Amino acid sequence: MRPVEGEISKLLSELPLDGHVLDMACGTGYWTAQLASRASTVTALDGSKPMLEQIAHRGLSNVNTVHADLF
């Protein structure tokens, strides 16, 4: 894990995530998985279907993916 990832992980662990989280431009779902481990549900948005497929393969039952162009 790179130093910045460790800092972000620490920050996420300190946030009170007990409801629904929106993960915009989620990419491969690395951070989506961390959010999903703490939030009730996560909606992961990305403009790339292959990226969303990678999230689907993670088997996160509380994550919904949405293919959308944020721009």
Side-chain angles (χ1 to χ4, degrees), residues 36-48:
S37 71
R38 304 206 34 247
S40 299
T41 58
V42 177
T43 299
L45 281 82
D46 203 278
S48 170

Side-chain angles (χ1 to χ4, degrees), residues 7-22:
E7 292 174 26
I8 294 171
S9 291
K10 183 177 183 291
L11 175 67
L12 287 178
S13 71
E14 295 171 355
L15 291 174
L17 300 176
D18 59 357
H20 184 77
V21 174
L22 176 62

